[in-house]
Amino acid sequence: MSTVQRNMSLTGEPPKTINTQQKIASFIGLLGLMVLVLAIFNVNFPNKSLWLTAALTAIGGGTIWFSIAAYSQKHAGIKNDGVQFKSLTSKGFWAWIMGISLTLFYILLYWFPQYLGLVQDGDNKGLVALFDPFSKLLNGGPASQWFVYGTLYTLAIVAFGVKFIMKYRHNKYEKLRTFSVMFFQLGFAFLIPELMQRLNSETFSLPYYDLKNIWPLNYYNFEQYRVDDFISAGDVGVGLLIFGVVSIFIITPILTYKYGKRWYCSWVCGCGGLAETAGDPFRHLSDKTQVAWKVERWVIHSVLVFVILMTTAVVHSYLGDDSSKYWLTKDTFLIGVAVFLTIVFAGVWIFKREELQKDARIGSIAYFVIIIALIALHFTTGKTLFLFDPETLRSSYGFLIGAVFSGVIGVGFYPLLGNRVWCRFGCPMAAILGFQQRLFSKFRITVNGGQCISCGNCSTYCEMGIDVRAYAQKGENIVRSSCVGCGICAAVCPRGVLKLENGPLENRISSNEILLGNDLNLMDYVNQ
């Protein structure tokens, strides 16, 4: 064997061509996609129900068939199949084409839906019109651009979820959480909200409500029109409004304490569901540098502060001033927000200060001072809360974070920046859950450092940019705010070094234990 041949045997080879079944499946899927593209260009399909059914079946069926053909004849286990060599998954030509195409689609979706065929006062055209029969079947009305998006989004999670399950079929945890995100997306995020629209009438009206979305992901949930709609809908609406509040202050902390942020980010969330299924081939593209980690911490917590300020201003704008008429007045609400933030800040600094990095301590003080100062400014000057009109704050947040960050960049840049850019750098829900996970959750990834061979698979395929190998080499438990508990690091480890666990809070964060092979008794002896 020549030197070149030996090197190739060590470093790997470019992926082999796809088999015949995969080619047929790809052709079928592209035919379905072509129908949707032709609809965008206003090609008239006479029997829209038939053509839409055929298109969605072709796309979903082709994807599933491709996945079965790719993995069913292979031994169970992680096979990345030359992902570093493929143009689509290594920032090559096709990655840029896909990234640009997705970005253009999101731009049309958010700001120019008329080019997708949406007509405000009249019959829809183009792509949106193609989905009208399906929309009328579910909610009784014509389609919107959001119905089109929700349908395609759900189809992607279900179809690529099957691919993910086939690829990771040796791992029970991966299969369970993938079934979970498929179930929550199909049922709670798509079918149930659409069917709920059928309940609406002239005397009863519920706003569209994705039951699994929790503030601050659904940052619009406490706007005045939605609160009014909830209250006017009677017991059902008030129940949903109360559920939204309870989810924030009771359900979320309890579940995060028991299971870490993975209960939401990897098992329930639609953003995470798409990232884990359709975005799985791009997980290795996440930036693992220290600079990216520092940027991540400052950016994501700045977004969280932004959404807290915006929500406070929006709620404050429609509350009353007369305490004899309202139990919750503007001043009472602001004082309550200030007291709550003070309690949280004081609790962290009294009980968990040592677990915060230096920049986290500085940042927490800075953010706390900013929020309290702005609230105090309102009481001392009487000017507009936070110096901006609440609608300006809401629209700015909706544009910059809700659209540009979460949609255009968060999904459109999958092939260029990895599949969890939004979750890692922008999602305020991930910031809150990460804060709770770091400080008081029972979740951690335990490490058997003596078995680590430093192959680097864990770090390579960590979608959140965590250098897992650095922890594994030291045998240090992994407790990071950004970790979504996807478990891929454990799934790709050839030695079984990593394990996802829920355990006691004692010694949850400890790097000393591993220095002598995890022998706690011997380590105690040395310390003494």
Side-chain angles (χ1 to χ4, degrees), residues 89-108:
T89 54
S90 60
K91 301 183 182 181
F93 173 79
W94 289 112
W96 281 95
I97 293 298
M98 184 177 182
I100 292 172
S101 300
L102 287 172
T103 299
L104 289 176
F105 173 74
Y106 271 91
I107 291 174
L108 293 177

Side-chain angles (χ1 to χ4, degrees), residues 63 83 115 176 232 275 291 340 358 377 383 387 407 469 513:
T63 303
V83 69
Y115 292 108
L176 283 174
S232 65
V291 172
F340 176 76
K358 182 179 179 180
L377 186 65
K383 295 181 180 179
L387 307 180
R469 179 172 59 177
E513 298 174 1

